[in-house]
């Protein structure tokens, strides 16, 4: 009969907890236990006493029996305790709940790493002396670059001077703004070709690109419209080992930056190695390098580095040239050729991150 009694107990506990809402669950259990599992068996006493007296004695005996059983069950989990009375669910039980957010597991985020693992390459191409591409040829060049946004990080052009105010033609004639506008209109009707203007405003182009290897990039460079028109006097293409040191990545100041493109004399790897630390220290102390790094030989790392490419902030072209002359590499006689020029960007969209 025990399993059945236990089932009944559980049922009665559930019912009592609902019906007697002013009692705690332990009090409800105690009440059910007293009423159903341990009934109080008390005789009402002699029959010769008046009914009222018998009832009074019976109630006293019942009270004593209940008190005795409560004392026996003292410390029992079923003992009634007024402190455990149920309260309305709207009460906070005397405690203010802590509703502060609980940290959960990290929320998965999409891969936002946009860095391109392909190495950097830089092409520096200078125009023939006294020549510049016509407007039509320049438009073809920009279109050609714009179609290679899977390669290009930077597409810039080199100026021959900081300013061209009041420049003179070869015969000494000073051109006004109106004269320049007229030349622009005439240039629109010209074929895509290099023009001998007697003065050179733009001295060349610079491309910074990413590619797995230099050979496919070199093949793409052969399609340069200006190159096909025979417009370049000198061209170079090297892997650029751009430094990520914070001291060589200062923010670009307002206005044009200045490109410093240097190529070593042949067979001077030992001289470069001996002078490298002094060169790096000089660059870091300057606080003006926006981008910088060595140019690697076409034969790769084994053959060493054969040049330096810097993009720096400066007051003007003359000041930058004076500063570059103090480079320990220059002082040691490492370079065979140095090109320093103001650097501006073509309006090419959707370029890769540098």
């Amino acid at each position: 009969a025990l399993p059945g009694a236990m089932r009944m107990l559980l049922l009665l506990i559930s019912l009592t907890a609902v019906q007697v809402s002013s009692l705690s669950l332990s009090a409800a259990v105690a009440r059910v236990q007293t009423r159903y599992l341990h009934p109080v068996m008390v005789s009402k006493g002699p029959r010769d006493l008046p009914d009222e007296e018998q009832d009074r004695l019976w109630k006293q005996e019942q009270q004593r029996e209940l008190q005795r059983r409560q004392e026996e069950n003292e410390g029992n989990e079923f003992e009634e305790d007024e402190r455990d009375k149920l309260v309305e669910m709207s009460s906070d039980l005397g405690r203010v709940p802590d509703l502060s957010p609980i940290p959960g597991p990290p929320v998965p985020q999409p891969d936002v790493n946009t860095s391109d693992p392909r190495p950097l390459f830089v092409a520096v191409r200078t125009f023939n002396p006294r020549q510049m591409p016509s407007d039509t040829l320049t438009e073809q060049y920009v279109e050609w670059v714009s179609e290679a946004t899977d390669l290009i990080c930077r597409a810039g052009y080199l100026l021959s001077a900081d300013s061209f105010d009041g420049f003179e033609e070869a015969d000494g004639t000073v051109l006004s703004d109106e004269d320049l506008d007229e030349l622009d209109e005439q240039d629109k009707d010209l074929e895509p070709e290099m023009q001998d203007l007697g003065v050179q405003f733009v001295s060349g182009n610079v491309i910074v690109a990413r590619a797995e290897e230099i050979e496919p990039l070199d093949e793409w460079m052969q399609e340069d419209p200006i190159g096909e028109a025979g417009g370049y006097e000198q061209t170079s293409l090297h892997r650029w080992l751009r430094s990520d040191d914070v001291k060589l990545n200062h923010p670009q100041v307002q206005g044009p930056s200045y490109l410093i493109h240097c190529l070593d004399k042949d067979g001077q790897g030992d001289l470069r190695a001996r002078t490298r630390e002094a060169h790096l220290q000089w660059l870091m102390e300057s606080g003006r390098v926006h981008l910088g790094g060595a140019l690697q030989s076409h034969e790769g790392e084994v053959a060493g580095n054969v040049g330096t490419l810097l993009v720096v902030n400066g007051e003007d072209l003359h000041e930058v040239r004076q500063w570059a002359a103090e480079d320990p590499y220059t002082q040691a006689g490492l370079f065979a050729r140095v090109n320093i020029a103001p650097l501006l960007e073509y309006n090419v969209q959707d370029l890769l991150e540098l």
Side-chain angles (χ1 to χ4, degrees):
L2 183 59
M6 291 300 296
R7 287 196 298 272
M8 180 61 68
L9 172 62
L10 295 175
L11 174 61
L12 291 173
I13 287 175
S14 63
L15 292 175
T16 304
V18 174
Q19 295 170 356
V20 190
S21 59
S22 61
L23 297 178
S24 67
L25 182 60
S26 60
V29 172
R31 174 168 294 193
V32 172
Q33 182 189 45
T34 301
R35 290 176 59 188
Y36 296 94
L37 295 185
H38 301 286
V40 178
M41 304 298 294
V42 181
S43 172
K44 284 194 174 183
R47 290 287 181 180
D48 55 342
L49 294 176
D51 292 341
E52 294 82 5
E53 183 66 13
Q54 287 190 35
D55 289 338
R56 183 182 65 81
L57 292 175
W58 181 82
K59 290 179 181 179
Q60 289 180 352
E61 183 64 20
Q62 186 183 45
Q63 185 66 31
R64 285 194 294 268
E65 181 66 16
L66 288 173
Q67 183 176 358
R68 183 183 65 80
R69 290 187 179 277
Q70 288 178 355
E71 291 175 354
E72 289 178 355
N73 293 331
E74 185 176 0
N76 191 287
E77 63 176 331
F78 299 122
E79 177 185 3
E80 181 175 351
D81 189 345
E82 292 297 330
R83 295 172 300 177
D84 292 335
K85 286 184 178 180
L86 294 176
V87 295
E88 294 182 3
M89 294 304 294
S90 61
S91 171
D92 61 11
L93 302 180
R95 300 184 298 273
V96 178
D98 183 8
L99 299 180
S100 58
I102 299 175
V107 179
Q109 297 290 336
D111 186 5
V112 296
N113 183 12
T114 56
S115 62
D116 193 324
R118 294 178 297 175
L120 283 172
F121 295 88
V122 61
V124 178
R125 303 185 148 196
T126 55
F127 299 148
N128 298 322
R130 299 165 58 91
Q131 288 188 350
M132 288 194 306
S134 64
D135 282 355
T136 307
L137 184 56
T138 300
E139 290 173 0
Q140 290 183 357
Y141 174 84
V142 174
E143 182 179 357
W144 170 72
V145 171
S146 300
E147 293 174 351
T149 53
D150 60 328
L151 299 173
I152 306 300
C153 300
R154 290 282 182 91
Y157 58 94
L158 304 175
L159 298 178
S160 60
D162 285 314
S163 174
F164 304 98
D165 293 338
F167 78 94
E168 295 184 355
E169 285 189 311
D171 60 0
T173 302
V174 177
L175 297 182
S176 64
D177 291 340
E178 290 76 12
D179 296 329
L180 291 175
D181 292 339
E182 184 177 351
L183 287 176
D184 289 340
E185 289 298 324
Q186 295 174 2
D187 193 44
K188 293 179 181 178
D189 299 328
L190 295 176
E191 296 296 322
E193 60 183 7
M194 296 299 294
Q195 295 178 291
D196 191 347
L197 300 178
V199 64
Q200 193 176 56
F201 304 108
V202 178
S203 61
N205 291 323
V206 177
I207 290 178
V208 180
R210 289 191 181 275
E212 295 292 345
E213 298 177 344
I214 194 172
E215 287 78 11
L217 189 61
D218 190 26
E219 292 179 4
W220 174 74
M221 289 286 181
Q222 303 306 316
E223 301 173 1
D224 181 343
I226 297 178
E228 291 181 340
Y232 294 123
E233 179 188 30
Q234 295 176 333
T235 63
S236 69
L237 175 63
H238 295 88
R239 180 175 178 179
W240 186 26
L241 305 179
R242 179 199 163 194
S243 173
D244 58 0
D245 192 299
V246 294
K247 294 182 179 180
L248 299 179
N249 284 268
H250 289 276
Q252 183 176 351
V253 298
Q254 186 176 3
S257 296
Y258 293 86
L259 181 97
I260 303 178
H261 178 237
C262 311
L263 295 179
D264 297 358
K265 297 174 182 176
D266 293 338
Q268 297 298 314
D270 290 342
L271 177 59
R272 170 174 279 271
R274 293 196 307 269
T275 320
R276 181 174 182 272
E277 290 302 322
H279 166 76
L280 291 176
Q281 186 69 24
W282 173 75
L283 289 179
M284 292 180 180
E285 291 176 353
S286 71
R288 69 194 302 166
V289 179
H290 176 51
L291 302 169
L295 301 176
Q296 193 177 79
S297 167
H298 290 185
E299 286 73 27
E301 186 176 356
V302 177
N305 300 327
V306 295
T308 298
L309 182 77
L310 305 173
V311 179
V312 303
N313 300 314
E315 297 177 7
D316 54 47
L317 183 56
H318 177 70
E319 185 271 335
V320 173
R321 284 173 173 167
Q322 286 185 322
W323 172 77
E326 300 172 358
D327 185 345
Y329 280 165
T330 302
Q331 296 287 323
L334 175 63
F335 299 133
R337 189 168 79 222
V338 176
N339 185 12
I340 304 176
L343 175 64
L344 297 178
E345 301 291 326
Y346 283 110
N347 185 20
V348 178
Q349 305 298 318
D350 302 323
L351 299 179
L352 298 177
E353 291 187 359
L354 188 57

